Amino acid sequence: MQNHDGVQVDGKVESAASVATPEFDEWANFGDQDIMQQHSAIRAEEAEKIPFLGDKAILKSLDFEPLSSLASEYQSGSAILLEKIKVLGEQYAAIRRTRGDGNCFFRSFMFSYLEHILESQDRSEVDRIKANVEQCRKTLQSLGYADFTFEDFFALFLEQLDSVLQGNEESISHDELIRRSRDQSVSDYVVMFFRFVTSGEIRKRSEFFEPFIFGLTNATVEQFCKSSVEPMGEESDHVHITALSDALGVPIRVVYLDRSSCDNGGVSVNHHDFVPAGSDAPKASEGSEKVTPFITLLYRPGHYDLLYPK
Amino acid sequence: MQASRARLFKEYKEVQREKVADPDIQLVCDDTNIFKWTALIKGPSETPFEGGIFQLAFAVPEQYPLQPPQVRFLTKIFHPNVHFKTGEICLDILKNAWSPAWTLQSVCRAIIALMAHPEPDSPLNCDSGNLLRSGDLRGYYSMARMYTRLAAMPKKG
């Protein structure tokens, strides 16, 4: 459902067909409920193939490893892609895949951010983001959201944030962070937390986001948030990334792996840095100093995975 | 499971608080099972459902609020987006447009809005949808009105 690149799609179609179709006495009795059940059966089958978050896979240059994990997907694919993967291998050490269930951007962001805090033990960053989270809570309240609709999701994220900081009873290891990121009851709740934050930011600054949203769909800002941000499984676009980055004050680098070629002959891999704007993002106001995001995502049309720089 | 229970309990308290604020909706939780709810909603005015009281049944899944509640009409209703036999409701927020920002109470409000603004182009009740699509408003109105009187209004005498 996620990958429109035509590379993995074939496998998905087959698996959809292989899910046993229940017997129906009458098609008239085949309601929406049955359709939803069949959908969730397909999703469950897919889920067994790829966890929410995959293992770290080493990205080797094609020269040394012709069947490196990423390149092997594109063996018979376009030459430009293979060239770009080679370039990627020079700059990045590893890739960590996420499940293509429409939540991949948020899930990649969640793991990448928490892993960064776990490894850096940057307490001032934790204090900073907590202040932003409180701001997001106020934003949702002022937009008329009832507290009980979002507070559980906020609480669970803050809990994860505290537990990646070492030195208290709730502290967790890297392995436990991976386990939690694969555990639906934690992972989906954190994804939903990000969806609330993103929606609140877009609606708070609706005048800013309106033209971008209008470029994507014909929906109003509110309709867009209700239909394309808040529901689980709705894919993320640059609007979502901008809003989340701004709301939490966290810069994000997105590396693009697509078929676009370069004019100057040589192949290079483009990236775009989403740097938080606005007064509540201290890093952006520091001025001339260039922000280097500590979160790097690999975008292939329709899907986000995590990249580890060398 | 625990998370859904905690959330439903909060909604229960909220419903008690909001009772006065929204007289068109009466949400009641099952005495013994917090995952089963029923609601009585008033048919919106200036529609063929005006004056009727419609009963809804809610079955809340364990993954709530990440997954939507299953809602159906227990009271017979003639409406393009409600299955005439099962009472199943065709409404995007109960399917793929669901998000935890919705509550049982706001779902009731959305269903009342659907009663007032049917979507005949995605019908579960084709007879009802076809009347509207062919512009036979009088036919739609009188059928819907008849079933409201038969099923959703207290019998006189």
Side-chain angles (χ1 to χ4, degrees), chain A residues 148, chain B residues 4-17 19 25-40 55-61 64 69-74 103-105 107-108:
Chain A
F148 71 87
Chain B
S4 54
R5 204 177 278 278
R7 160 74 179 244
L8 285 168
F9 192 67
K10 287 176 194 168
E11 292 207 29
Y12 178 79
K13 284 201 279 189
E14 186 68 16
V15 163
Q16 307 309 313
R17 244 200 317 272
K19 255 179 186 162
I25 299 167
Q26 204 184 320
L27 249 175
V28 186
C29 177
D30 187 287
D31 287 341
T32 57
N33 185 353
I34 199 163
F35 293 95
K36 299 259 178 258
W37 295 62
T38 52
L40 295 174
Q55 195 176 16
L56 303 170
F58 286 74
V60 183
Y64 185 80
Q70 294 172 15
V71 191
R72 60 188 188 92
F73 273 90
L74 290 179
T103 65
L104 300 184
Q105 184 88 14
V107 164
C108 288

Side-chain angles (χ1 to χ4, degrees), chain A:
Chain A
M1 265 168 265
Q2 268 280 289
N3 198 319
H4 303 310
D5 211 15
V7 178
Q8 294 169 320
V9 170
D10 290 344
K12 296 222 165 136
V13 174
E14 277 169 29
S15 69
S18 70
V19 171
T21 315
E23 295 288 329
F24 299 105
D25 302 335
E26 260 186 278
W27 277 103
N29 293 335
F30 189 70
D32 284 12
Q33 219 61 61
D34 303 293
I35 294 171
M36 279 176 79
Q37 263 167 23
Q38 198 182 6
H39 279 181
S40 66
I42 293 168
R43 271 196 295 272
E45 193 176 287
E46 278 305 303
E48 282 168 22
K49 291 179 192 160
I50 308 169
F52 285 139
L53 187 82
D55 290 323
K56 207 164 164 176
I58 306 301
L59 199 84
K60 285 182 182 154
S61 163
L62 280 174
D63 293 339
F64 304 103
E65 177 76 46
L67 289 176
S68 78
S69 74
L70 192 56
S72 61
E73 282 178 35
Y74 295 98
Q75 273 179 97
S76 53
S78 106
I80 294 171
L81 285 177
L82 288 172
E83 275 298 303
K84 284 190 176 181
I85 291 167
K86 202 167 159 184
V87 175
L88 273 183
E90 286 159 15
Q91 295 167 17
Y92 296 94
I95 181 174
R96 193 190 288 279
R97 289 165 203 277
T98 56
R99 187 186 296 169
D101 61 357
N103 301 310
C104 52
F105 163 68
F106 291 112
R107 208 161 335 251
S108 301
F109 180 85
M110 162 185 70
F111 184 78
S112 186
Y113 186 81
L114 292 173
E115 187 182 42
H116 170 78
I117 300 297
L118 183 83
E119 285 170 354
S120 68
Q121 292 297 304
D122 186 346
R123 281 168 197 271
S124 65
E125 166 62 16
V126 171
D127 291 340
R128 191 201 57 74
I129 200 172
K130 277 186 176 173
N132 280 46
V133 170
E134 276 320 297
Q135 202 56 50
C136 297
R137 188 192 299 275
K138 291 199 183 93
T139 300
L140 288 175
Q141 284 166 338
S142 69
L143 288 167
Y145 288 75
D147 277 47
F148 71 87
T149 59
F150 61 80
E151 63 192 7
D152 293 346
F153 304 97
F154 273 58
L156 202 90
F157 173 72
L158 293 171
E159 199 182 294
Q160 305 315 308
L161 205 51
D162 285 332
S163 63
V164 291
L165 284 177
Q166 301 302 299
N168 57 63
E169 282 178 23
E170 286 80 33
S171 294
I172 60 167
S173 64
H174 191 269
D175 283 349
E176 173 64 9
L177 177 62
I178 290 179
R179 196 197 63 76
R180 286 190 187 181
S181 302
R182 289 174 181 168
D183 174 356
Q184 186 164 22
S185 64
V186 178
S187 208
D188 278 0
Y189 264 63
V190 176
V191 167
M192 197 53 224
F193 161 75
F194 291 134
R195 289 187 177 277
F196 270 116
V197 165
T198 305
S199 182
E201 183 72 14
I202 293 173
R203 291 176 69 179
K204 183 174 82 175
R205 290 162 57 214
S206 57
E207 277 180 35
F208 171 79
F209 284 106
E210 197 172 20
F212 299 101
I213 289 169
F214 202 70
L216 289 173
T217 64
N218 270 331
T220 65
V221 172
E222 194 171 331
Q223 285 166 343
F224 178 79
C225 288
K226 283 266 170 255
S227 65
S228 306
V229 183
E230 291 174 10
M232 287 293 283
E234 285 294 327
E235 294 173 24
S236 295
D237 223 307
H238 60 99
V239 170
H240 304 69
I241 304 177
T242 305
L244 185 69
S245 169
D246 287 355
L248 295 178
V250 177
I252 301 169
R253 173 166 294 176
V254 177
V255 177
Y256 295 88
L257 179 59
D258 53 26
R259 286 193 181 86
S260 64
S261 57
C262 311
D263 299 333
N264 56 10
V267 169
S268 65
V269 182
N270 301 323
H271 71 255
H272 179 75
D273 288 347
F274 292 82
V275 178
S279 55
D280 42 3
K283 278 182 181 164
S285 59
E286 274 168 21
S288 58
E289 205 180 320
K290 199 143 180 7
V291 182
T292 308
F294 54 78
I295 292 180
T296 308
L297 306 180
L298 174 67
Y299 176 76
R300 287 177 280 164
H303 187 66
Y304 294 89
D305 291 306
L306 256 167
L307 274 182
Y308 290 87
K310 277 189 174 163

Side-chain angles (χ1 to χ4, degrees), chain B residues 43-65:
Chain B
S45 55
E46 290 168 50
T47 71
F49 313 108
E50 185 171 2
I53 305 282
F54 296 83
Q55 195 176 16
L56 303 170
F58 286 74
V60 183
E62 283 178 17
Q63 291 84 5
Y64 185 80

